[in-house]
Amino acid sequence: MAAIDNVNMELYVGLSNEDKELLEKVLKSGGDADDTDNMIIEILKEQLKLKEAGSKNSDAYKLLNILRSIIENVEDYSEANSELTAYRHCAKLLDYLFCGTKLKILDGEPGCLAAKGKMIVNHSLFPFSGENVFSTCAIRKIDAIVVMNLNMERVELSTNEWKKSNASSDTVTKQQSKNLRTNLSILNQLNRKYNIKTKTVVAMDFIGKCLLKCSSIL
């Protein structure tokens, strides 16, 4: 598992040169005082230009939507926020990111079909017994699953988990372990069932509004 723990935010990974310049322009509009009102005004001006050009699904427009949402909500952050509140703000950013693509977010704690399939296989190999560890397992619910439709069938691409800011270290570790196992099941299903030859699945674990770890599961 390759984990991205200390990302250098100056790299702006994934952005084109044009989008990097746009981001810099918006950030610099705040001046030395980092005036967020001026940043919002600059964002709205740039979004109007993109809207008039019919580019509402462009990466630049998505970038501006995400940046505006972060600026507007950062002052409302509280360590006392519930898990649902933290998820709601983060999910909004993912909605902006996936706009105009085939990717969707399943939330409301759905079950992971890939993990369920793996469990069924394990149960067939190791029948229920008093000493059998598999006899006590149950399908875990997931906070958010990234999916797409392939030939009218739901294809799972990753599972992502959230915990509230004051979650204990034991709870956080258990969440990461669960998320890792579930995403390994998804990776196995992509290769075996759908013949999608990928070696990685990108999954995220959040504590409050903070990205605890973004992992590329190999």
Side-chain angles (χ1 to χ4, degrees):
M1 180 179 71
I4 305 171
D5 290 316
N6 299 309
V7 178
N8 181 358
M9 298 308 294
E10 295 299 324
L11 295 178
Y12 304 133
V13 177
L15 297 179
S16 67
N17 290 332
E18 292 79 6
D19 291 342
K20 291 177 186 177
E21 292 174 2
L22 176 59
L23 177 57
E24 292 284 1
K25 180 180 179 181
V26 171
L27 295 178
K28 289 180 179 179
S29 69
D32 294 336
D34 292 328
D35 190 319
T36 55
D37 287 336
N38 285 341
M39 291 183 193
I40 294 294
I41 291 172
E42 187 64 32
I43 288 172
L44 293 175
K45 287 180 179 178
E46 294 296 334
Q47 283 189 312
L48 179 59
K49 295 176 185 177
L50 292 169
K51 197 81 168 180
E52 291 176 339
S55 302
K56 67 176 182 179
N57 288 328
S58 65
D59 287 345
Y61 197 88
K62 295 176 184 180
L63 164 66
L64 294 170
N65 264 336
I66 292 172
L67 188 57
R68 178 164 56 89
S69 182
I70 292 173
I71 292 173
E72 290 175 343
N73 288 293
V74 68
E75 294 181 357
D76 296 330
Y77 175 72
S78 169
E79 291 290 332
N81 284 345
S82 68
E83 178 181 320
L84 182 59
T85 299
Y87 167 73
R88 180 164 46 83
H89 290 303
C90 291
K92 185 177 181 181
L93 303 183
L94 294 177
D95 284 334
Y96 287 140
L97 183 63
F98 295 155
C99 181
T101 73
K102 295 181 179 180
L103 302 179
K104 304 295 179 185
I105 301 174
L106 290 183
D107 51 18
E109 297 197 328
C112 177
L113 298 181
K116 179 180 179 181
K118 202 71 173 177
M119 190 176 298
I120 291 173
V121 172
N122 287 335
H123 283 181
S124 66
L125 294 174
F126 304 93
F128 291 162
S129 69
E131 296 78 21
N132 187 357
V133 67
F134 292 109
S135 65
T136 60
C137 64
I139 298 176
R140 300 291 184 87
K141 299 299 184 181
I142 307 298
D143 290 331
I145 306 178
V146 178
V147 303
M148 65 176 292
N149 287 325
L150 182 64
N151 297 326
M152 303 300 292
E153 184 177 1
R154 170 179 134 186
V155 178
E156 297 165 335
L157 301 177
S158 74
T159 62
N160 307 277
E161 296 281 2
W162 276 258
K163 288 296 178 190
K164 57 185 179 180
S165 298
N166 59 356
S168 67
S169 58
D170 286 345
T171 298
V172 170
T173 301
K174 288 178 180 178
Q175 170 180 282
Q176 287 184 284
S177 176
K178 165 192 166 186
N179 206 25
L180 175 60
R181 295 194 307 272
T182 305
N183 278 286
L184 285 172
S185 296
I186 288 177
L187 181 60
N188 183 63
Q189 185 180 74
L190 289 174
N191 280 274
R192 291 176 179 268
K193 182 176 180 179
Y194 300 106
N195 198 32
I196 298 176
K197 300 303 182 182
T198 179
K199 296 182 179 180
T200 61
V201 171
V202 177
M204 297 179 289
D205 282 296
F206 285 85
I207 302 300
K209 281 189 176 181
C210 299
L211 177 59
L212 174 67
K213 183 168 291 188
C214 177
S215 301
S216 177
I217 301 171
L218 304 177

